[in-house]
Amino acid sequence: MPPSSASMLGRAWTALVPDHVFDFWAERVSPTWSRRRPLARIVGREDTAADTVTLVLAGNRHVRRPAPGQHVMVGAEVDGRRVARSYSPSLLPGGRLAITVKAVPGGRLSEHLVHHARVGDVLTIGEPFGSLTLPDDAAPVLLLAGGSGITPLIALLRDQALRDRGARGSTRPITLAYWVRTPGEACFVEELRALADAHPALRVHIATTRATDPRFAHGRLDADTLATLAGEGAAPHVLACGSAGFVAHARALAEPRAASFQAEAFSPPDALPGETGEAEVRLARSGTTLRVPRNQPLLVALEAAGLRPAHGCRMGICNTCACGKSAGTTRDVLTGARDPEPATALRLCISAAAGDLVLDL
């Protein structure tokens, strides 16, 4: 059949059979068959640490392979509702992905994946996003991980290990410092130590902040610990990932003396210390005017008012919640920086009202 005829037939088939009808019948042949939707089947499951599981995923042809350190939105149906959250996959041979999930109290998706998801279940996988990457130069690197913040950083280390193997070794100094509350919460301990044994330029420091264990150091990130980790040589590139509080603390300690500083937080703080009062927010498209606390991210404040703005990662990376601002000053809840510029875009999940605003919502 001539290509033009095949193309016309394909378009006619698509028009006659809507996507949801095609998917309905296709999933009866294979659960990940879909005309357009990126889907992945759980093909492996391993308990990694306390209340933490690693799931191995085999995606269909629509799933885009992320770069090391990037995130994807992972979705599942929980109690009849579709729930999605951001996770940082590790890249496995054969095109497979692995996500490590810690059950968060009250977290609908994380508790489902840790306690109820089984091999054979199908998840939705969003487009990759995020830019937490190792710089290209040869300067030393310091990786700071708090809790589940280890997942994008170990993805970077695995990728670097593969590159080193291809280049017959690397002398670029990389130090990973990883804090957990208790020994049982530490993930990838044996793998991290094996990587350090195989790559002399890699140092691994694992510490607990509550219960002690002779295998690990004990104590929180502070100025003295940071100075020891950074050493006396060239200023390192610093990459930090963890809770909002951990990232803010790491930023305050490390950014002034770093060659560069990159960070990702699981989610911004729900309330900002030292901020009081309210601001008036006018939603231009809906005509709604409301008052919101100046100490909350706009996304949290709008949700508390009964609105449901589009959102994704809730950590300022995926841009799903981005909207236009035509008047007013906002404050970045992660860095504290103020943006008084009109006619600009903001991300609701990491922006708070520093005064009255007009938003394109």
Side-chain angles (χ1 to χ4, degrees):
M1 181 181 296
S4 58
S5 299
S7 178
M8 291 174 61
L9 182 59
R11 287 195 296 268
W13 167 254
T14 301
L16 288 171
V17 183
D19 289 351
H20 69 279
V21 175
F22 177 90
D23 287 358
F24 176 83
W25 293 107
E27 71 181 12
R28 279 147 179 76
V29 179
S30 174
T32 57
W33 278 15
S34 173
R35 180 177 284 166
R36 305 182 195 277
R37 290 190 302 155
L39 302 172
R41 185 166 59 90
I42 300 175
V43 296
R45 174 188 169 94
E46 179 184 357
D47 293 331
T48 311
D51 287 326
T52 304
V53 66
T54 294
L55 303 176
V56 178
L57 310 177
N60 64 13
R61 63 189 180 92
H62 303 300
V63 173
R64 284 186 53 201
R65 195 167 173 83
Q70 282 193 307
H71 300 258
V72 296
M73 296 298 294
V74 176
E77 189 170 294
V78 182
D79 297 329
R81 291 179 54 192
R82 177 62 55 178
V83 185
R85 197 187 186 286
S86 163
Y87 292 101
S88 181
S90 292
L91 311 183
L92 302 180
R96 294 183 174 184
L97 304 175
I99 59 170
T100 297
V101 183
K102 180 176 177 58
V104 177
R108 292 169 62 87
L109 183 60
S110 66
E111 290 191 338
H112 170 77
L113 294 177
V114 171
H115 301 303
H116 304 294
R118 295 291 179 262
V119 170
D121 290 357
V122 175
L123 307 175
T124 60
I125 307 292
E127 290 289 304
F129 60 88
S131 57
L132 197 65
T133 57
L134 293 176
D136 292 332
D137 62 26
V141 173
L142 175 58
L143 307 176
L144 306 176
S148 297
I150 188 63
T151 52
L153 301 186
I154 195 170
L156 293 175
L157 287 179
R158 288 166 175 161
D159 181 65
Q160 184 65 46
L162 291 174
R163 293 172 184 269
D164 290 350
R165 189 181 307 163
R168 296 184 180 179
S170 171
T171 58
R172 180 183 197 173
I174 299 179
T175 298
L176 169 72
Y178 172 30
W179 285 268
V180 292
R181 291 175 299 180
T182 64
E185 296 178 356
C187 299
F188 313 119
V189 174
E190 298 306 319
E191 180 181 359
L192 288 170
R193 288 179 169 161
L195 284 171
D197 289 342
H199 302 271
L202 171 64
R203 292 191 300 152
V204 172
H205 172 88
I206 303 175
T208 58
T209 59
R210 294 185 184 176
T212 60
D213 187 296
R215 298 174 299 162
F216 308 130
H218 182 69
R220 298 181 181 274
L221 172 62
D222 56 26
D224 290 340
T225 303
L226 182 67
T228 300
L229 293 170
E232 298 181 355
H237 295 292
V238 179
L239 285 73
C241 189
S243 67
F246 176 85
V247 167
H249 184 55
R251 184 186 297 275
L253 290 175
E255 191 169 30
R257 62 191 72 183
S260 67
F261 185 90
Q262 300 179 58
E264 289 181 357
F266 304 148
S267 61
D270 288 335
L272 309 179
E275 294 289 338
T276 58
E278 294 182 329
E280 183 178 279
V281 176
R282 182 162 64 88
L283 309 182
R285 281 191 284 169
S286 67
T288 303
T289 298
L290 50 113
R291 299 195 67 79
V292 302
R294 292 162 56 106
N295 71 342
Q296 279 188 338
L298 285 165
L299 178 59
V300 174
L302 293 174
E303 289 176 332
L307 303 177
R308 299 182 64 182
H311 65 275
C313 67
R314 304 185 78 96
M315 52 198 287
I317 303 174
C318 72
N319 290 318
T320 303
C321 67
C323 75
K325 178 190 73 172
S326 55
T329 298
T330 54
R331 184 180 63 261
D332 187 310
V333 302
L334 299 179
T335 67
R338 292 174 179 259
D339 181 6
E341 292 292 326
T344 187
L346 58 81
R347 290 165 289 178
L348 293 172
C349 67
I350 60 166
S351 299
D356 295 346
L357 302 173
V358 179
L359 301 180
D360 183 22
L361 285 173

